[in-house]
Amino acid sequence: AGAETVKRAVELDLASRFQESLVCYQEGIDLLLQVVKATKDEAKRHRYRQKISELLFFSDGKYHKQIRIEENATGFSYEKLFQEYLTDIVSEVWVEDPYIRHVHQASRYSLYNFLRFCEMLVKGPCKVKTIHLLTSYNEGSGRSQQISGLEEIQQSLRNCGVTLNIAFSSSIHDREIRFNNGWMIKIGRGLDYFKKPQGRFSIGYCDFDLRPCHETTVDVFHTKHTKKM
């Protein structure tokens, strides 16, 4: 399976389909790492490690893609934005966003947005087991509501077999999402790029593909991020 995946990666690379080839390289590396762990023969383990080193060289090319979301644009649900990077080897996710704290505010429903993001991860096709959230505390009386909401999400995820680790920082400013298959997504507005719905029964209230967005940019990178041999 690893050999076939690597062969496919090379074919995609030659066809200049770099994004897809990076995904295949990463999957091939992970499959070979599993073989290394299961192999007792030290000579074979050495050969596999050499092959993995070669693949890391080929798959470590810099990749950067930018998506611009225009004001009031639709069709940018979390599924549309993230799904192609959530391959079945994704098991761990890091979310850094200082504003996962509001429930009721003019245009910010960040706790609900984070919940929707978690729902997407639970649905798959990835096999997420751990989500790490780094955010900042809400100010004033909203802090207890923020903590209560996050703990409820944490318990609900636990019921689905997913661990949510929550940490707070007073100095966090950047917004980025990382998957353990090497993909990193930076959104100018974080997860909170959707506009407030016009009403509880307006189109786009439930389906975020139909929800108008605020103007923002999405930067997609690929980084060398593999398990240790």
Side-chain angles (χ1 to χ4, degrees):
E4 287 299 317
T5 304
V6 171
K7 181 181 177 182
R8 177 64 176 156
V10 173
E11 292 172 351
L12 291 167
D13 210 349
L14 292 172
S16 297
R17 293 165 63 180
F18 302 117
Q19 179 176 317
E20 295 168 83
S21 71
L22 282 170
V23 172
C24 284
Y25 274 127
Q26 184 68 49
E27 290 181 351
I29 290 167
D30 281 1
L31 287 168
L32 285 173
L33 283 171
Q34 293 175 27
V35 173
V36 169
K37 288 180 180 179
T39 301
K40 304 299 182 183
D41 187 311
E42 192 55 41
K44 288 184 178 180
R45 288 168 65 89
H46 178 70
R47 286 200 299 273
Y48 286 133
R49 286 196 181 102
Q50 282 187 319
K51 178 55 69 175
I52 289 169
S53 297
E54 293 172 12
L55 292 175
L56 285 172
F57 174 80
F58 284 114
S59 67
D60 198 30
K62 294 180 180 178
Y63 176 90
H64 177 213
K65 170 184 177 182
Q66 185 173 85
I67 303 166
R68 185 169 184 83
I69 300 178
E70 302 290 344
E71 185 77 6
N72 292 316
T74 57
F76 290 97
S77 67
Y78 296 147
E79 284 79 6
K80 287 289 178 62
L81 210 55
F82 296 105
Q83 204 79 65
E84 64 182 302
Y85 310 109
L86 289 170
T87 59
D88 58 5
I89 65 171
V90 173
S91 60
E92 200 165 4
V93 178
W94 291 261
V95 178
E96 295 185 11
D97 191 324
Y99 295 110
I100 307 298
R101 60 191 193 189
H102 298 282
V103 178
H104 300 295
Q105 193 173 334
S107 64
R108 295 191 180 278
Y109 288 78
S110 298
L111 278 173
Y112 289 125
N113 288 343
F114 179 65
L115 175 60
R116 291 185 70 92
F117 177 77
C118 291
E119 288 175 337
M120 175 193 67
L121 296 176
V122 169
K123 286 196 301 184
C126 54
K127 306 291 190 300
V128 171
K129 294 299 180 185
T130 309
I131 302 170
H132 305 273
L133 172 64
L134 178 64
T135 188
S136 60
Y137 278 117
N138 202 348
E139 298 173 358
S141 60
R143 180 176 296 192
S144 61
Q145 190 178 37
Q146 174 197 21
I147 293 173
S148 174
L150 286 173
E151 287 178 347
E152 191 172 341
I153 294 173
Q154 188 178 49
Q155 179 58 53
S156 185
L157 283 168
R158 190 178 295 122
N159 295 337
C160 297
V162 179
T163 299
L164 172 61
N165 296 319
I166 305 168
F168 296 93
S169 169
S170 59
S171 59
I172 178 176
H173 295 291
D174 292 340
R175 300 167 175 88
E176 68 178 45
I177 295 168
R178 303 191 308 277
F179 306 132
N180 68 323
N181 61 353
W183 291 105
M184 177 172 66
I185 295 93
K186 294 190 175 187
I187 308 175
R189 298 183 64 97
L191 290 173
D192 187 36
Y193 58 87
F194 296 105
K195 289 195 168 184
K196 179 183 177 182
Q198 294 181 345
R200 289 186 299 163
F201 300 100
S202 60
I203 295 297
Y205 186 89
C206 298
D207 189 339
F208 273 34
D209 268 324
L210 301 174
R211 178 80 68 88
C213 298
H214 292 286
E215 181 179 349
T216 193
T217 55
V218 181
D219 288 282
V220 181
F221 303 90
H222 190 274
T223 58
K224 186 168 69 175
H225 186 141
T226 57
K227 304 168 189 173
K228 291 183 180 180
M229 291 183 279

